[in-house]
């Protein structure tokens, strides 16, 4: 099944792609993190990002960032996300990275450890985020 997932995932251009790891608080505001609340938190984060980068076109014309989110449980049992994300404008990469950090920390479960790297091997990163124990968050994937 993993090879079918990899075949399905688009190959974003390396110069437009970021490889992102987002850690999550496992408990906040009286709520324990599970895969459902993690996915809802990711949806909220992506809505903030899309509104920031596409303004009213986000809702009016369904303009969205292309992103492949994968949720994984670490050896210690902590849920976290890996993203393959296509930047809308690579010339504004540093601003885009700051926006990721700002909006992730603004979500209920967003934690402080955030790793953002420029892609050098998108297929390799996609292979990593679909490894055993990781699951594509199909509710939040957008690849158009």
């Amino acid at each position: 099944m993993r090879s079918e997932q990899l075949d399905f995932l688009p190959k974003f251009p390396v110069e437009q792609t970021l490889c992102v790891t987002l850690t999550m608080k496992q408990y906040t505001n009286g709520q324990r993190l599970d895969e459902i609340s993690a996915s809802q938190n990711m949806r909220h984060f992506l809505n903030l990002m899309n509104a920031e980068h596409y303004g009213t076109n986000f809702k009016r014309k369904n303009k969205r960032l292309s992103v492949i989110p994968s949720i994984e449980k670490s050896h210690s049992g902590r849920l976290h996300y890996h993203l393959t994300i296509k930047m809308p404008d690579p010339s504004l990469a540093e601003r885009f990275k700051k926006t990721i950090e700002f909006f992730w920390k603004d979500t209920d479960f967003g934690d402080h450890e955030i790793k953002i790297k420029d892609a050098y091997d998108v297929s390799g990163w996609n292979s990593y985020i679909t490894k055993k124990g990781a699951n594509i968050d199909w509710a939040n994937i957008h690849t158009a």
Side-chain angles (χ1 to χ4, degrees):
M1 172 130 158
R2 183 169 175 258
S3 64
E4 287 86 5
Q5 282 184 344
L6 285 171
D7 290 342
F8 173 78
L9 298 178
K11 311 299 187 268
F12 298 153
V14 70
E15 64 278 357
Q16 288 182 271
T17 305
L18 294 176
C19 304
V20 180
T21 300
L22 303 169
T23 60
M24 303 183 79
K25 298 173 190 169
Q26 303 302 294
Y27 189 85
T28 189
N29 299 329
Q31 184 180 4
R32 184 154 191 68
L33 182 67
D34 58 22
E35 287 200 25
I36 293 169
S37 54
S39 183
Q40 290 169 340
N41 194 71
M42 177 56 63
R43 182 178 312 112
H44 176 63
F45 166 72
L46 292 173
N47 285 342
L48 293 170
M49 292 289 293
N50 285 313
E52 174 71 15
H53 291 285
Y54 295 115
T56 58
N57 286 333
F58 162 50
K59 292 200 176 184
R60 286 186 183 164
K61 297 182 181 179
N62 203 28
K63 190 91 169 138
R64 297 172 182 268
L65 295 168
S66 293
V67 61
I68 302 166
S70 173
I71 191 164
E72 180 182 12
K73 190 178 279 192
S74 69
H75 295 297
S76 63
R78 296 180 59 87
L79 290 172
H80 61 281
Y81 266 96
H82 296 294
L83 307 175
T84 305
I85 191 164
K86 183 178 170 188
M87 294 180 285
D89 185 352
S91 69
L92 300 173
E94 292 309 310
R95 179 180 177 269
F96 190 76
K97 291 174 187 178
K98 295 287 184 201
T99 306
I100 291 171
E101 292 174 358
F102 178 80
F103 283 126
W104 183 248
K105 291 176 185 175
D106 196 41
T107 66
D108 286 342
F109 287 102
D111 211 350
H112 65 279
E113 190 173 338
I114 300 168
K115 295 178 184 173
I116 304 171
K117 297 185 178 192
D118 297 326
Y120 62 89
D121 178 7
V122 178
S123 294
W125 176 253
N126 285 345
S127 179
Y128 174 72
I129 70 172
T130 59
K131 67 184 181 263
K132 185 177 177 182
N135 296 307
I136 297 292
D137 182 351
W138 295 104
N140 289 308
I141 192 171
H142 186 77
T143 59

